[in-house]
Amino acid sequence: MLTTTTLKTTRSWIDKFCRIGTDNPLLDQDARRKIYIVNLIGAITVLMNFIPGLIILSLTHSLRIYIPSTAEGLLFMLVPYLNYKHRYNAAVMLMFGAHMASFLYFGLLFGPAVNVSAIATFLIGSVVLLYNSERYIITSIILAVVAILILQVDYFYQFVPPLTLSEYQLSVINKLAAMIVFLLNCITLYCYITALLKQRKRQEQIIAEKTAQLSTACNFLEEFVHTNWHDLRQGVNNLVLSNKDLLNTQQEQGFPDVVRVPAEQLSNLAIVSWNLDQQVSNALDFSLLRKGQLPEKNLEIITVRQWAEEIVRFNSMSSKRKNVMLQLSIQADIPPRIVTDVRRTTRIVNNLLSNAIKFTAVGTAVELEIGLDANKRHFTIRVSDQGPGIEADQLEQIFLPFTTTYNAFQPGYGIGLPNARVLAKSLGGNIQVDSVPGKGATFTFRHPVFKLGEQETAPVEQQQADFGGARVLFIDDNEMYHKLFRQRLKETGCEMHSEFTGAKGLEAARTFPLPDLILLDLTLPDIHGMEVLKKLKKEYATRHIPVIIASTVEEAGLKERVLQAGADGFIRKELTTDNIGAELQKFLSFNVATGS
C-alpha cells in the first residue's frame, strides 16, 4: 500500500514538474506537449549527471569527469526555469547545446568507450521531435553529424589522448553510458510514438468532422436542388398553363387582334410570374452570397409610400389566393422620402412578406409597418403574421440556409430569410424576430438612416421627364425586355429602335440619324456587350453617344468594370423599369435640349 501511494505521489510530482511553463493560454496542444518533453528530458539528464557522476568519481577519482558532469546537471536545471519564463525556444536550444557539448567532451575524454552512434541517434531524434522550424532541424542535424565526424577522426588519429583507465573502469563507464543513452533514446522514442498517435487521432477526428460536415452539406445540397427544381418546375408549369388559358381564350374569340381576357386569368398569370421571379431571384442571390459576392450597392431616394404600396400590390396577388389581407401602416413621423438601396431593400421586404403570407393562417392578416425607432437613427420595417409562431430555440435557426423547420409542411427551401439577413447587414442593418408560439411572429428589419444632401432634397421620383422624341437604341437579345423598355421609354417621350445582336447594334449606331443614347446588354448572342462597348467608344462617329449598360448579370464589381471600360451608366434590368428615368435624365436632358 505504501509503495503504491509513493509511486502515485512520485508520478504526480513528476507530472507537475514536467508541466512547468504549459500554463500559457496562447499555447496549443502540440506546444504544450513539446514543453512537457523538454522538461522531462531535462529532469532525467540532471539525475543521470549527478548519480552516475558520483559513481564514476568514486571509481576513477577524477575531477575531469565529475566537475563537467555536475556543471551539465546544473545547466539543465535552467531548462524548466526558461519554460517557466515562457522562453521556450531558449530552453530547447539550451538542452540541445548542452547535450552536444557533453557529447563532444565525454566522447573525446573516454574515446571508443562511449557509444557514439547511440548518442547521435538521441540528438537527432530529439531535434526532429522538438523543433518546428525546418531551418533549425537541418542546422542541428548538421552539427550532430559534424560532432560525430570529429569524434571518429579523433579516435583514429588520437589528437586528444583519452583518459587512461583500467579495463574494469572502462567496462563500468561503458555500461553506465549505454544505460543513460538507452534510457534517453527510449524516452525520445516513446514521446515520438505518442506524438504520432495523438496526431493520427487528431487527424482522424478532423477527417470525421469534415466527413460529417460534407455529408450534411451534400444532404442539404441534394434537398436544395430537389426542392428548387421542383418549385421552379411547378412555377414554369403554372406559367405554361396560364399562357395556354390565354391562347384558348383567343381561340374561343376567333383569334382577334385584341383579346378580351378575364381579370382572373390576368391575375393568375401575374401571380405565377411574380412567384417564379422571386424563386429565381432568391436562388441567384443565395449563390452569390455564398461566394461573398453581394449585388451592386446603389443608394437612391425613394418615396416611402409609393414604394411600400407597390410592394404590397405585388404581394397582395399571392395573399388573395390564400384569403390573407395585407395591411400597410406608415408612421406619421417617418420622412416622405428616404435614401436606400432600393433593390436590396425591396428583396428583403419581399422575402419577409412572402414568408409571412406562407405561414400565416388562412383568413387572417399580414401587417407591414414602416416607422422610426426611438432614437431616430434607424428605419424599422416590421412584418407581422398570425401563423403558428416559432419556438424560442428556433429563432436563430430559421436564418440558417435550407432551414424550414418551424413548419415542415410548407413549400420552400429555406434561403429567403438567410438571404434577407445578409442583405440587411450589407446595408448596416439587421433582421430580428420575436414570436410567441401559437400567436404568430414579427420580423423587424432595422435600416440605418442615411442623411439627404441638400442637392437631393427634391422628390426626384415625382418628376416625370419628357425627352421630346429622343432616339434610343436598345441592343438586347430578349424580346420581352424590348417590349418593357419600349413602353417605359414611350412614357418619357423617347423613340426606341430595337436590335437583337451586337453586329446589328453596331450597324444601327453608325446609321444616320445617330441615336441620342444607347442601352446595351452584355450577354448578346454574337458579340459580348463589352466588345460592342469598346468599338462604340473607339469609333469617331459613335464615341460621343452615351452608352448605358442594362444587364441582369449578378457579379461583384460589375458596375465598376463597365464604367472603367467606357460606359456612361449602368442599370440593372428588372421586371419593372422604373429605374431608367433618372438614368436617362443624366444624359438626354442636355442632349435633346441642344438638339444633338
Side-chain angles (χ1 to χ4, degrees):
M1 184 67 180
L2 182 62
T3 305
T4 304
T5 305
T6 304
L7 285 174
K8 287 183 178 179
T9 304
T10 304
R11 186 182 299 172
S12 175
W13 277 102
I14 293 173
D15 186 68
K16 287 182 180 178
F17 176 83
C18 292
R19 292 188 184 279
I20 292 175
T22 61
D23 56 342
N24 189 344
L26 300 178
L27 296 174
D28 58 20
Q29 195 62 33
D30 187 59
R32 289 189 173 91
R33 177 185 59 80
K34 290 182 177 182
I35 293 170
Y36 190 97
I37 294 171
V38 169
N39 287 335
L40 179 62
I41 293 176
I44 292 174
T45 304
V46 170
L47 293 175
M48 293 300 101
N49 275 284
F50 285 126
I51 298 173
L54 289 173
I55 294 174
I56 294 174
L57 176 65
S58 62
L59 186 67
T60 63
H61 305 289
S62 173
L63 294 178
R64 290 174 62 189
I65 299 173
Y66 183 70
I67 291 176
S69 177
T70 304
E72 184 186 5
L74 293 173
L75 195 62
F76 266 94
M77 292 178 70
L78 291 174
V79 169
Y81 175 77
L82 290 172
N83 283 329
Y84 173 75
K85 291 293 186 180
H86 301 163
R87 303 280 302 278
Y88 308 119
N89 287 332
V92 175
M93 293 175 69
L94 174 63
M95 188 190 76
F96 178 79
H99 275 136
M100 180 68 71
S102 175
F103 174 43
L104 273 173
Y105 178 79
F106 289 109
L108 292 171
L109 191 64
F110 294 124
V114 177
N115 191 335
V116 174
S117 60
I119 297 176
T121 301
F122 162 71
L123 287 174
I124 294 173
S126 63
V127 164
V128 174
L129 182 65
L130 299 175
Y131 280 136
N132 287 326
S133 171
E134 184 178 345
R135 183 182 62 180
Y136 284 166
I137 292 174
I138 294 174
T139 303
S140 300
I141 291 175
I142 291 173
L143 290 175
V145 170
V146 169
I148 293 170
L149 291 175
I150 290 173
L151 290 178
Q152 293 294 346
V153 170
D154 183 72
Y155 295 163
F156 186 78
Y157 291 105
Q158 294 288 310
F159 292 118
V160 179
L163 190 66
T164 304
L165 298 171
S166 66
E167 186 176 341
Y168 172 72
Q169 291 174 327
L170 285 174
S171 175
V172 173
I173 292 171
N174 185 277
K175 289 176 182 178
L176 281 173
M179 180 187 70
I180 293 170
V181 173
F182 177 76
L183 180 61
L184 290 173
N185 277 323
C186 285
I187 293 172
T188 304
L189 183 61
Y190 169 78
C191 294
Y192 190 72
I193 292 174
T194 302
L196 286 178
L197 291 175
K198 287 184 177 179
Q199 185 179 10
R200 179 179 176 181
K201 185 177 180 181
R202 191 160 56 247
Q203 289 175 343
E204 288 176 349
Q205 289 176 345
I206 293 173
I207 291 172
E209 290 173 1
K210 296 296 183 183
T211 302
Q213 292 174 3
L214 183 60
S215 177
T216 303
C218 287
N219 291 335
F220 280 153
L221 181 60
E222 184 179 352
E223 181 66 23
F224 169 70
V225 171
H226 173 75
T227 310
N228 191 8
W229 280 112
H230 175 269
D231 288 353
L232 289 176
R233 182 71 265 174
Q234 187 178 22
V236 171
N237 287 341
N238 290 336
L239 190 60
V240 171
L241 290 173
S242 297
N243 285 325
K244 282 185 177 180
D245 283 343
L246 292 176
L247 291 174
N248 291 335
T249 302
Q250 185 186 33
Q251 184 178 6
E252 291 170 359
Q253 296 177 15
F255 298 99
D257 293 334
V258 179
V259 182
R260 295 177 64 86
V261 180
E264 185 179 357
Q265 276 187 293
L266 285 177
S267 177
N268 288 338
L269 181 60
I271 291 171
V272 168
S273 302
W274 172 254
N275 288 336
L276 193 58
D277 176 63
Q278 286 293 100
Q279 291 170 7
V280 173
S281 296
N282 273 329
L284 288 174
D285 279 350
F286 179 75
S287 174
L288 290 172
L289 296 176
R290 293 290 284 180
K291 297 177 183 177
Q293 298 177 355
L294 291 169
E296 298 288 347
K297 189 173 182 179
N298 183 29
L299 296 178
E300 54 186 298
I301 306 170
I302 64 169
T303 302
V304 176
R305 181 166 294 278
Q306 179 184 342
W307 168 76
E309 288 176 349
E310 184 76 3
I311 288 178
V312 169
R313 184 170 68 86
F314 273 105
N315 283 277
S316 63
M317 294 186 293
S318 297
S319 68
K320 286 178 181 178
R321 260 190 171 184
K322 195 177 177 182
N323 192 23
V324 170
M325 183 182 296
L326 272 186
Q327 297 175 344
L328 173 62
S329 172
I330 301 177
Q331 293 179 6
D333 60 346
I334 193 168
R337 295 178 301 279
I338 63 173
V339 177
T340 186
D341 185 314
V342 181
R343 184 164 175 268
R344 296 191 192 191
T345 304
T346 303
R347 287 278 179 90
I348 293 167
V349 178
N350 278 336
N351 273 322
L352 296 181
L353 283 174
S354 174
N355 196 69
I357 294 169
K358 184 191 305 180
F359 290 103
T360 200
V362 175
T364 59
V366 170
E367 183 179 6
L368 172 62
E369 180 186 359
I370 304 176
L372 288 170
D373 62 4
N375 57 19
K376 310 293 184 184
R377 293 181 180 177
H378 287 84
F379 300 112
T380 57
I381 301 176
R382 290 188 177 88
V383 176
S384 303
D385 64 56
Q386 298 177 39
I390 310 168
E391 297 292 339
D393 60 346
Q394 293 291 324
L395 291 178
E396 286 300 318
Q397 291 290 109
I398 61 173
F399 290 101
L400 297 177
F402 314 114
T403 301
T404 57
T405 54
Y406 77 99
N407 195 329
F409 299 102
Q410 292 286 357
Y413 35 85
I415 59 174
L417 288 178
N419 286 356
R421 175 169 274 189
V422 174
L423 290 173
K425 289 183 177 180
S426 73
L427 292 171
N430 200 359
I431 296 177
Q432 295 177 328
V433 57
D434 298 298
S435 179
V436 177
K439 295 185 179 181
T442 298
F443 289 82
T444 303
F445 167 36
R446 300 178 75 250
H447 183 305
V449 174
F450 298 116
K451 298 295 183 182
L452 288 170
E454 292 183 2
Q455 73 280 8
E456 298 174 319
T457 55
V460 177
E461 303 75 26
Q462 296 175 2
Q463 296 177 356
Q464 178 63 48
D466 185 354
F467 301 115
R471 298 176 298 276
V472 176
L473 172 61
F474 186 45
I475 309 173
D476 194 297
D477 62 338
N478 190 315
E479 188 173 352
M480 289 301 299
Y481 281 118
H482 281 268
K483 292 180 180 179
L484 284 170
F485 276 82
R486 185 180 300 279
Q487 181 180 354
R488 182 70 179 96
L489 290 169
K490 185 178 180 181
E491 294 172 0
T492 61
C494 294
E495 296 178 3
M496 192 183 98
H497 177 73
S498 296
E499 291 296 346
F500 294 86
T501 65
K504 289 288 187 180
L506 286 170
E507 184 179 344
R510 304 181 186 113
T511 303
F512 188 82
L514 299 178
D516 297 302
L517 184 137
I518 298 173
L519 290 170
L520 174 63
D521 183 32
L522 290 178
T523 54
L524 297 171
D526 56 342
I527 309 173
H528 194 275
M530 292 292 278
E531 290 299 318
V532 176
L533 174 64
K534 290 178 182 177
K535 291 181 179 180
L536 288 171
K537 291 302 180 181
K538 186 177 181 181
E539 293 184 16
Y540 178 79
T542 57
R543 67 176 61 171
H544 69 285
I545 303 174
V547 179
I548 298 176
I549 299 297
S551 178
T552 57
V553 176
E554 301 276 0
E555 189 177 323
L558 177 62
K559 181 177 180 180
E560 288 74 12
R561 287 201 298 276
V562 298
L563 293 178
Q564 289 175 1
D568 299 280
F570 178 88
I571 60 172
R572 192 168 297 280
K573 289 187 294 188
E574 304 284 356
L575 290 180
T576 59
T577 55
D578 299 335
N579 58 343
I580 193 173
E583 196 69 22
L584 292 176
Q585 196 170 4
K586 296 177 184 177
F587 307 102
L588 292 184
S589 57
F590 174 78
N591 291 341
V592 175
T594 58
S596 62

